[in-house]
Amino acid sequence: MARNAHPEITRRRILAAAQKLFSEKGYEHTSVQDIVNELGDLSKGAIYHHFPGKEAILEELTYQDWEVGHGLVDELHQRTDLTGLEKIREVVRRSVTDETHLDIQRDVSQFLEDSTTLAHSLENWQTTVADRFLVLIMDGVKDGSITTEYPHEAAILFSLLLNYWVACGPTAADTEPRMRCVATMLAAIGLPVFDEELIDLTVHGFQAINAPSFYPEPRDIASDRNR
């Protein structure tokens, strides 16, 4: 087989095709062969040359999604026309209205049933993700829009409660009461991020993750990893 002269282009094409199929069919119901068929000019061997399996493709999409979010925080941190509180609201607003981001969150959430994955995610939410929000919380403390006396703790609560307790709730029906509870708790410690409009947007976005799947009857995830 001739050497691929443009491996990064091929990787991007694979990721784009996989993201499209994961969105349309769901991660569980997309096989490597489906991705091959979507691309039309690559073999399974070519896919496996770039990614060891379907789960690795999802991991890369998740990483890219994380990088987009990190870039947004950096961008907002530099702005002087918004308060710290407004910056956090903008991060939430964009996250819960971004269909690509929500699709990836829905695909990833199924792996939280694995104890090792859950432990890794909880650690990430209360460290790396919380630190990202802490930057904007401190912006708000400095400009007076946020009055919390516990900025570090507030950042951890914000990240853990939203990313796990609300976004990964058992059912879509749990989302609104949990979201309102979180909004009340955060406001009580001086981090009043969620007004009614943002609560509604967040509930709607997270319900898309928690709602019963509109995809066909799921296959076994473990067997899918080997496809």
Side-chain angles (χ1 to χ4, degrees), residues 111-122:
F111 293 104
L112 296 179
E113 296 177 7
D114 174 73
S115 59
T116 301
T117 302
L118 175 59
H120 175 76
S121 297
L122 289 171

Side-chain angles (χ1 to χ4, degrees), residues 188-201:
I189 61 171
L191 187 60
V193 173
F194 294 94
D195 55 17
E196 279 298 315
E197 178 188 7
L198 196 54
I199 287 174
D200 289 343
L201 280 175

